[in-house]
Amino acid sequence: MLRFLGKKALEHGAKQRSSRPYSTSHGRGWNPITRGCSAQVAPEVAVAEPGHLLDPSHVRQKASDLVASGAFRRPISGSAARQQEQAARKAGGFEGSIYLHHSDVGRQVNSAALSVGLIHALQVLRPGVGYFRPIDQTSHGGNRVDLMKKVFHIKTPPEDMFALTQDQAYSLLAADKIDDLLEAVISAYERHKRYHDFVVIEGTSMRDGSNTSPINGLIASALESPALLLTDCIAASHHHPKHHEAGGNFEAWDFEKEATSCILDHARIMKQSSVDIAGALLYRMPRTSRGTSRLREKITEAGIPFLGALPADKSLESFQVEDVRRVLHAQVLYGGDTPHAANSMATEITKTMVATLHLAEILTLIPPSDDPARGALVIAHASRPDILLGMIDLHETHLSTQVAAMVLTGVAPPPAEVDELIWTRPTRVSLPVLLAPKATYDTCLELAKADSELHATSTRKIERAEVMFHEHVDMRVLNQVLFKERPLRMNPKLFQHGIFEKARAAQSHVVLPEGAEPRTVQAAGEVLRRSLCQLTLVGKPDDILTEAKQLRVDLTGANLVNPASAPNLETYVDILYEARKSKGMTRAEAQELLVTDANYFGTAMVAAGHADGMVSGAIHTTANTVRPALQIIKTLPETPIVSSVFFMCLPDKVLVYGDCAINTNPTAEELAMIAMSSADTAAAFGVEPRVALLSYATGDSNTGPLIQKVADATAIVHERRPDLMAEGPLQYDAAVNMEIAKTKVKGKASEVAGQATVLIFPDLNTGNNTYKAVQQSTGAVAMGPVLQGLRRPVNDLSRGCTVKDIVTTIAMTGVQAAAMKTSSIRQGGAA
């Protein structure tokens, strides 16, 4: 395949493309800017001093002239091999890379958020996606490489994730060294490709925020990467007179025409460099009654695939406490050493106040809010300890008055006596208190000029970017446009994405008995932000809200229930009493147990149909979680045993392991029930059940009591569930490896051997150790345990669980509940 890079390449003849870095007479992989160069070459490169500004219009004109001259076009005609290769690539998807071109520069935080959302989605579809930026550290884009490396934990060395800084690129362009610039980019890109099968390449921006299509077209063409056009709807149309005539009312005029025109202009320039257009993706889409229908129609009619449009979102553009610290170069005096300091620094600022009045008057001016993730910024001189201590105390109450942070001015910190008083408080201060290096007036001026940005520490914005992308971009369309016929391989992120999608669609109601536990509160906030389930948190509402305020978690939308004053307490007493009266329990004892034991209360809610499932165990034992379920909810009639499965998410598939947590030494009958329950659980989560009952021998190759137990269990499964694909006894290797299965399973065709997805272990010792060995040795993600066999889902957490573990378990419980309802309706029972 030929690559033409301009005058120098034309003079030396076409270079044959290979997997090696781009080679010139300067030596293989030579990079005149970032990798050093010989003494003979160094004088030819004019590198600007940091921050030196060259005329962007001059540089832009050079790039435009080169594009117009055709010097950088890839030859389409005259090469049958090239045409054949291009046709094959289009048929099979854009193998290797995609070039993100921001066709209209809006606010940096929005373009960065879109890139984050897109890369997150691509990592779900294709694990191990890389990120490369030809020109980084730009005026409009910031240090995007640093952001992506930290957010996505990319292991590639940072020096191999970009080629040039903007200053270096401007110097080369101004000196007519476009070929040297492209050589540097290609050399760096070839190094980066060694680490990844698929690379997201993000284009550059100009200092004056103007059209960058010419230079990005040249780079995309040199890297032979198709372009995905990313367009800020509002920025693309704000200059139009009708926008101002309508007073910013996008409902009143055809802004879609302006956005489409912007996309087509940039697509035309890209195509002049022979760059394929993969599609268009828009952001900051104005909210109108017509949604995206008109925009989709116009872009599709223009022959460009429409991937989606993300609406304008205030939370992405919000100014946060971390932004204040960055802009003011402020020191964090208090609140920066707590376990949840990151949440506090991500708090959104809704109002800024300069405290010149008395404390009582200041308190009346802070607007009430039920959302602890948003609050007022209070600025006061460091000599005002009354304001400082008052704001700290206010933050530690459950009152719906939210303070995001406090900024102290005057350069000097608070007096030593005040500092000692704060550090000797019984609880650590969780309100961020910053010390600004300037006076109050100058501090306010600095904040007035500041703009929000997206950083790796902007956890809420990053989460919001990911959620918005999944809400407004169809993953199937994205996969079809970029990868076409390449089948999706199951991976941990894709599996979790599927669980979240199922949970979001089901909107099951899950009760959390450990309502005031910090990890549970944070998980509840994330579940609500992602719209995964409806939630009830059990506990004293004041305690829950105070904890949520300290953690900056918005629980708006959750139901908070105090068992002692619950309106349905008598109903739950009746349920528990009826279930346990044969064991000697009185009504008074039932009521006492429900009021004092949140797990019994939550289980009674599920039994009454007031919740669809329950998740507990962050601070309770498995016995404390499961016992109430066995006593009140009870097991399914056809499955009188509770068991568990883990979803083992390997790099290229998901396997279901059971039972690894509950039954110590099941009988053949119990093992069969575990197998049947595990198959149903696998199916509920989108895993086709091919059940292998495991032993230390395959088929009749050996005999013994344990082998016979597994054989008997397999026979029971075949008898009761002839619809299931089940086989046993099988050894683990024969169950999952097709080549080994062909050797060990002879004389008959098998639907399970070599392709099992559900693996049933003969006892707890084998199951528990195997799942942990696979988890620790391979890095597999183990999701679970998921309990099965109960009439309604109740799931147990590990006491060492993380917030992410709780979120996933809640979502899985919601999916289980929906599957149980569907199964009950299908069988003619009550939902």
Side-chain angles (χ1 to χ4, degrees):
M1 190 186 307
L2 299 177
R3 171 188 284 134
F4 289 93
L5 299 177
K7 293 175 290 182
K8 187 176 295 184
L10 289 170
E11 289 168 0
H12 288 288
K15 305 280 186 184
Q16 180 67 32
R17 185 180 185 189
S18 70
S19 59
R20 301 192 306 270
Y22 185 80
S23 300
T24 71
S25 58
H26 303 292
R28 182 179 300 172
W30 176 80
N31 184 318
I33 304 301
T34 59
R35 304 291 175 255
C37 51
S38 65
Q40 298 95 308
V41 176
E44 299 177 10
V45 181
V47 180
E49 292 298 320
H52 177 62
L53 295 180
L54 299 170
D55 182 3
S57 62
H58 173 67
V59 173
R60 187 167 60 254
Q61 186 60 49
K62 285 180 178 292
S64 299
D65 292 343
L66 287 167
V67 171
S69 70
F72 289 85
R73 296 183 190 176
R74 295 177 298 177
I76 301 300
S77 60
S79 173
R82 181 180 184 81
Q83 289 179 324
Q84 184 178 3
E85 188 277 334
Q86 283 189 330
R89 179 162 57 84
K90 288 183 178 180
F94 296 114
E95 183 77 37
S97 66
I98 189 73
Y99 196 98
L100 307 185
H101 173 51
H102 294 270
S103 57
D104 208 306
V105 178
R107 300 183 66 183
Q108 182 270 343
V109 68
N110 290 287
S111 65
L114 182 64
S115 299
V116 165
L118 175 61
I119 294 173
H120 180 267
L122 291 177
Q123 285 201 336
V124 169
L125 297 172
R126 308 287 164 183
V129 170
Y131 175 86
F132 178 77
R133 203 167 196 214
I135 303 172
D136 196 41
Q137 300 174 16
T138 62
S139 303
H140 286 275
N143 193 339
R144 198 68 64 84
V145 163
D146 182 66
L147 170 67
M148 300 303 175
K149 182 172 177 61
K150 290 178 179 176
V151 169
F152 296 106
H153 308 290
I154 298 174
K155 296 180 180 179
T156 308
E159 62 271 17
D160 287 339
M161 292 178 67
F162 76 102
L164 304 166
T165 66
Q166 192 176 62
D167 284 327
Q168 292 167 338
Y170 265 74
S171 295
L172 287 172
L173 290 169
D176 287 326
K177 295 183 179 294
I178 185 72
D179 294 295
D180 290 347
L181 181 149
L182 293 175
E183 287 172 15
V185 169
I186 295 167
S187 178
Y189 176 66
E190 293 290 351
R191 282 191 302 276
H192 184 79
K193 283 204 309 182
R194 295 177 302 181
Y195 302 96
H196 306 280
D197 294 328
F198 190 88
V199 180
V200 174
I201 308 168
E202 185 162 22
T204 188
S205 58
M206 302 293 280
R207 282 195 169 94
D208 60 353
S210 57
N211 187 357
T212 60
S213 290
I215 186 63
N216 281 312
L218 297 180
I219 296 174
S221 179
L223 300 181
E224 297 191 340
S225 179
L228 182 61
L229 303 181
L230 311 181
T231 301
D232 184 328
C233 279
I234 295 176
S237 56
H238 78 279
H239 62 279
H240 197 278
K242 288 186 178 179
H243 171 65
H244 302 287
E245 292 171 12
N249 179 11
F250 288 92
E251 189 80 48
W253 66 287
D254 187 7
F255 74 89
E256 291 92 343
K257 181 179 179 181
E258 301 302 318
T260 304
S261 177
C262 173
I263 291 171
L264 294 180
D265 286 344
H266 289 269
R268 175 180 52 79
I269 298 172
M270 284 289 190
K271 288 178 179 178
Q272 287 178 353
S273 293
S274 300
V275 176
D276 295 323
I277 304 300
L281 186 58
L282 297 94
Y283 58 105
R284 285 221 296 169
M285 169 79 177
R287 298 179 186 270
T288 64
S289 59
R290 55 186 179 268
T292 62
S293 58
R294 186 184 295 177
L295 190 61
R296 179 189 300 273
E297 179 182 349
K298 288 180 179 295
I299 293 174
T300 304
E301 285 178 354
I304 297 177
F306 176 81
L307 272 66
L310 283 64
D313 189 83
K314 289 184 178 180
S315 63
L316 286 178
E317 299 181 6
S318 65
F319 206 61
Q320 299 182 341
V321 176
E322 176 59 29
D323 294 313
V324 174
R325 186 205 61 76
R326 171 182 52 81
V327 168
L328 298 180
H329 303 287
Q331 175 189 354
V332 181
L333 287 181
Y334 313 112
D337 60 343
T338 65
H340 311 294
N343 287 349
S344 297
M345 298 302 287
T347 305
E348 179 182 336
I349 294 169
T350 56
K351 182 178 182 178
T352 300
M353 306 169 56
V354 179
T356 58
L357 304 173
H358 293 296
L359 175 62
E361 296 171 297
I362 293 294
L363 292 175
T364 64
L365 297 176
I366 300 176
S369 170
D370 292 326
D371 183 359
R374 306 169 74 241
L377 177 69
V378 179
I379 301 174
H381 196 273
S383 62
R384 293 291 304 273
D386 57 327
I387 302 297
L388 172 60
L389 296 175
M391 294 302 105
I392 291 174
D393 285 339
L394 175 62
H395 179 60
E396 294 179 358
T397 70
H398 67 272
L399 298 175
S400 59
T401 304
Q402 314 296 343
V403 179
M406 187 167 184
V407 174
L408 299 179
T409 62
V411 182
E417 296 81 5
V418 176
D419 183 67
E420 183 179 5
L421 180 62
I422 291 173
W423 283 111
T424 55
R425 292 169 61 89
T427 58
R428 279 192 292 182
V429 173
S430 58
L431 176 72
V433 179
L434 313 179
L435 179 63
K438 295 183 178 180
T440 302
Y441 179 77
D442 293 328
T443 297
C444 293
L445 282 181
E446 289 291 325
L447 290 176
K449 295 184 294 183
D451 199 2
S452 64
E453 293 183 7
L454 188 68
H455 297 273
T457 54
S458 308
T459 52
R460 295 280 173 82
K461 289 185 180 181
I462 289 168
E463 179 191 282
R464 182 60 184 154
E466 295 171 357
V467 170
M468 285 183 64
F469 196 93
H470 287 298
E471 286 179 349
H472 299 282
V473 178
D474 191 324
M475 296 283 280
R476 293 169 298 181
V477 174
L478 183 66
N479 185 61
Q480 174 65 18
V481 167
L482 296 186
F483 305 108
K484 287 194 168 59
E485 302 304 323
R486 294 170 62 191
L488 279 176
R489 292 186 305 169
M490 184 57 70
N491 62 78
K493 288 188 176 181
L494 183 58
F495 183 65
Q496 185 182 63
H497 173 73
I499 291 173
F500 283 7
E501 288 297 296
K502 284 179 168 59
R504 192 175 290 115
Q507 284 300 299
S508 300
H509 186 170
V510 177
V511 59
L512 308 176
E514 300 160 324
E517 196 277 326
R519 289 165 297 171
T520 302
V521 171
Q522 292 180 83
E526 184 170 343
V527 167
L528 293 171
R529 292 192 300 272
R530 292 183 181 271
S531 302
L532 299 179
C533 296
Q534 301 175 50
L535 293 179
T536 290
L537 279 70
V538 180
K540 295 179 179 179
D542 284 357
D543 292 346
I544 296 172
L545 291 175
T546 299
E547 188 66 37
K549 190 172 183 179
Q550 301 304 303
L551 298 172
R552 301 292 185 176
V553 173
D554 180 15
L555 293 179
T556 304
N559 184 31
L560 310 184
V561 177
N562 183 350
S565 57
N568 294 312
L569 180 59
E570 285 301 313
T571 301
Y572 305 152
V573 170
D574 291 341
I575 291 172
L576 180 56
Y577 172 67
E578 289 297 323
R580 303 298 293 166
K581 65 181 180 182
S582 62
K583 302 296 183 180
M585 180 176 285
T586 65
R587 283 187 61 84
E589 290 172 335
Q591 179 163 337
E592 177 67 17
L593 192 57
L594 287 164
V595 170
T596 58
D597 192 321
N599 280 324
Y600 272 94
F601 184 88
T603 305
M605 277 189 68
V606 176
H610 297 159
D612 299 314
M614 184 180 92
V615 173
S616 186
I619 53 176
H620 290 92
T621 65
T622 298
N624 288 337
T625 299
V626 176
R627 186 186 302 112
L630 292 172
Q631 294 176 353
I632 302 174
I633 296 175
K634 304 184 184 300
T635 58
L636 292 164
E638 66 275 15
T639 313
I641 181 175
V642 175
S643 59
S644 71
V645 295
F646 279 90
F647 288 89
M648 303 299 295
C649 300
L650 299 165
D652 59 349
K653 60 184 174 181
V654 173
L655 299 177
V656 181
Y657 284 8
D659 175 7
C660 303
I662 302 293
N663 296 283
T664 305
N665 190 21
T667 64
E669 175 82 12
E670 292 170 337
L671 198 60
M673 287 188 285
I674 292 170
M676 292 183 284
S677 294
S678 300
D680 290 338
T681 300
F685 287 90
V687 177
E688 182 184 21
R690 296 176 183 268
V691 185
L693 288 90
L694 302 178
S695 180
Y696 62 85
T698 294
D700 56 2
S701 64
N702 206 337
T703 60
L706 184 56
I707 298 172
Q708 190 59 47
K709 180 178 79 168
V710 175
D712 293 343
T714 305
I716 294 171
V717 173
H718 288 161
E719 178 185 351
R720 297 184 185 175
R721 292 288 301 276
D723 59 304
L724 288 180
M725 293 181 285
E727 191 168 339
L730 285 174
Q731 291 167 285
Y732 191 101
D733 56 356
V736 300
N737 187 302
M738 183 60 73
E739 294 304 314
I740 294 175
K742 290 176 182 178
T743 302
K744 293 189 174 184
V745 182
K746 298 178 179 179
K748 63 174 183 177
S750 173
E751 295 179 305
V752 176
Q755 49 189 330
T757 57
V758 180
L759 298 111
I760 306 302
F761 297 95
D763 54 50
L764 185 61
N765 183 54
T766 308
N768 189 268
N769 278 293
T770 301
Y771 108 76
K772 288 181 177 177
V774 171
Q775 181 187 40
Q776 295 300 318
S777 300
T778 69
V781 178
M783 295 185 183
V786 176
L787 302 187
Q788 53 193 18
L790 293 166
R791 292 175 183 264
R792 292 177 183 269
V794 171
N795 281 310
D796 177 44
L797 298 164
S798 163
R799 276 168 285 176
C801 63
T802 65
V803 172
K804 293 295 183 184
D805 293 334
I806 302 175
V807 171
T808 301
T809 304
I810 292 171
M812 296 179 90
T813 303
V815 173
Q816 266 189 298
M820 286 184 173
K821 286 182 180 181
T822 302
S823 176
S824 178
I825 293 171
R826 200 166 47 235
Q827 296 171 13

